[in-house]
Amino acid sequence: MRRSTAALVVAGPLAAATMATTLSGCTAAPPQTTRPKIGVILPDSKSSARWETADRRYLEAAFRAAGVAYDIQNAQNDKQQFSTIADQMITNGVTVLMIVNLDSGTGKAVLDKARSQGVATIDYDRLTLGGSAAYHVSFDNVTVGRLQGEGLVRCLSEQRLARPTIAELNGSQTDNNATLFKQGYDSVLEPRFRSGEYVKGGDQWIPEWDNVQGAVIFEQLLTSNRDISGVLAANDGLANAVISVLRKNRLDGKVVVTGQDATAQGLQNVLMGDQCMTVYKAVKQEADAAAGLAVALARGERPSVGQTVHDPTGDRDVPAILLAPRAIYADNVKDVVDDGYVTVAELCTGTVAARCAAAGIR
């Protein structure tokens, strides 16, 4: 009698995760009696373009390649819809449910219900605090934030500003990733605030990562403090909201702005000099790792992944795959294009075309 075990191998920041299976031991794994089917719930299409333009297509491709049935739906930031989709997927016989939670409360309820029905669960990209997911697949999100903080410092130093005033626009306070990003960039910025090297010009959470609210909140900060010379914007959507306000006030290009997600829009802003930097998270690698894990679970395997993340609310260590992010500036935007994350046609439009050519992007 033999026991099946599996291990996920991550081979570098731009490599796809691969699954290796070994057989050992003396007890048999239970037979798979149901056809593997994987359900995925994405959060929205407003907070970041990545969910529909990247995650969906990479997950679909991975599931098709594995030959498993799948159902990918988007909750469009509606908590009731999120729960309804989960109920429908469980009723329709998914054997694995992978979610990107809207908040930990809603996510926990969905994960707990799935688990009670014998459905294996994965937290994709965002950890559900207090939840019961068997695995978590994401990036090292503290490092994402640290790269943003270091990027802001680098770009400010190039401008040789004395005691610059910095505003922080954090993501949604209900998203654990936003908390981790902030932990990362505050590790870089807070010592400078304490020493007086930098001046803090506001520190605001943006409900539900809403870019419209982000623009309103930043305009209020700017109105109360015209000395703002740097903005730590937690993602490219919020960065673009900040840039729109700066343009309206004829300050575009004069204030250092960070971002994250390496969206086409964010990369365009970087090339045009309106955004200092972004952070590239190789979503294909994340999607491939999560899909490989989901397929293994759907086939009755229990992979060993070699990492954990601590859930402070549930006081448990969750088996995890955490991938490495990369800082992107104008001089290495080409790396993101070469990796296939965005196309030349998407990126090099209008006035950006000349900047693409100058950066060797063709």
Side-chain angles (χ1 to χ4, degrees):
M1 305 291 286
R2 303 172 78 85
R3 180 181 61 205
S4 173
T5 61
L8 282 175
V9 180
V10 178
L14 297 181
T18 60
M19 183 74 68
T21 303
T22 60
L23 297 174
S24 62
C26 60
T27 60
Q32 186 70 41
T33 57
T34 58
R35 180 170 179 254
K37 184 177 181 181
I38 299 164
V40 180
I41 309 178
L42 300 175
D44 63 82
S45 53
K46 256 180 87 174
S47 66
S48 177
R50 63 164 282 193
W51 303 117
E52 288 296 328
T53 62
D55 295 84
R56 179 185 288 273
R57 67 184 171 103
Y58 291 137
L59 288 168
E60 286 178 342
F63 293 142
R64 283 197 300 268
V68 298
Y70 63 90
D71 181 9
I72 302 176
Q73 297 191 47
N74 194 311
Q76 297 299 354
N77 201 35
D78 185 322
K79 295 177 186 178
Q80 183 57 53
Q81 181 68 3
F82 189 97
S83 299
T84 299
I85 291 171
D87 287 344
Q88 291 170 345
M89 287 182 172
I90 293 169
T91 299
N92 292 335
V94 297
T95 50
V96 178
L97 181 63
M98 179 161 42
I99 70 166
V100 186
N101 71 59
L102 297 178
D103 65 272
S104 286
T106 306
K108 173 178 167 52
V110 163
L111 292 170
D112 288 350
K113 183 169 186 177
R115 185 179 181 185
S116 73
Q117 300 294 316
V119 176
T121 53
I122 300 172
D123 268 331
Y124 181 64
D125 201 72
R126 298 173 182 169
L127 180 66
T128 301
L129 298 179
S132 55
Y135 294 92
H136 176 49
V137 180
S138 189
F139 289 85
D140 183 335
N141 291 309
V142 174
T143 297
V144 171
R146 179 176 56 77
L147 292 175
Q148 289 178 291
E150 290 171 352
L152 189 69
V153 170
R154 168 177 155 174
C155 294
L156 286 168
S157 67
E158 289 171 356
Q159 294 193 0
R160 301 182 183 278
L161 298 172
R163 299 193 75 235
T165 298
I166 309 301
E168 293 184 19
L169 288 191
N170 313 304
S172 173
Q173 205 160 9
T174 62
D175 177 0
N176 186 57
N177 279 3
T179 301
L180 297 176
F181 299 149
K182 182 169 174 58
Q183 181 183 331
Y185 52 73
D186 278 352
S187 71
V188 177
L189 299 180
E190 284 298 332
R192 289 170 168 81
F193 291 137
R194 289 195 297 270
S195 70
E197 181 182 354
Y198 291 176
V199 177
K200 183 170 281 193
D203 188 348
Q204 296 285 332
W205 296 92
I206 308 302
E208 300 177 344
W209 289 94
D210 187 282
N211 298 328
V212 174
Q213 290 192 65
V216 171
I217 289 170
F218 176 66
E219 187 148 35
Q220 291 169 345
L221 290 174
L222 187 63
T223 299
S224 63
N225 191 340
R226 300 290 292 189
D227 292 331
I228 290 174
S229 48
V231 182
L232 196 301
N235 74 354
D236 286 348
L238 292 176
N240 195 64
V242 167
I243 291 165
S244 69
V245 173
L246 293 173
R247 283 184 183 136
K248 189 169 84 170
N249 287 271
R250 298 182 180 179
L251 292 171
D252 48 311
K254 299 177 182 178
V255 176
V256 172
V257 183
T258 70
Q260 175 236 142
D261 279 340
T263 62
Q265 184 179 66
L267 294 170
Q268 287 175 334
N269 285 334
V270 170
L271 286 170
M272 295 301 293
D274 294 321
Q275 186 171 322
C276 156
M277 55 83 69
T278 186
V279 178
Y280 175 44
K281 299 179 295 189
V283 173
K284 184 179 187 303
Q285 183 186 1
E286 182 183 24
D288 284 351
L293 183 58
V295 169
L297 288 171
R299 291 174 175 166
E301 299 164 3
R302 187 75 177 187
S304 173
V305 293
Q307 293 174 287
T308 62
V309 292
H310 186 68
D311 172 4
T313 301
D315 192 23
R316 69 185 187 112
D317 292 324
V318 184
I321 299 172
L322 300 178
L323 308 174
R326 292 179 58 192
I328 300 296
Y329 299 85
D331 61 2
N332 66 338
V333 167
K334 186 175 183 294
D335 292 351
V336 183
V337 180
D338 290 345
D339 200 42
Y341 188 66
V342 297
T343 67
V344 174
E346 289 174 305
L347 181 64
C348 303
T349 60
T351 57
V352 185
R355 298 297 179 97
C356 282
I361 302 169
R362 296 179 177 85

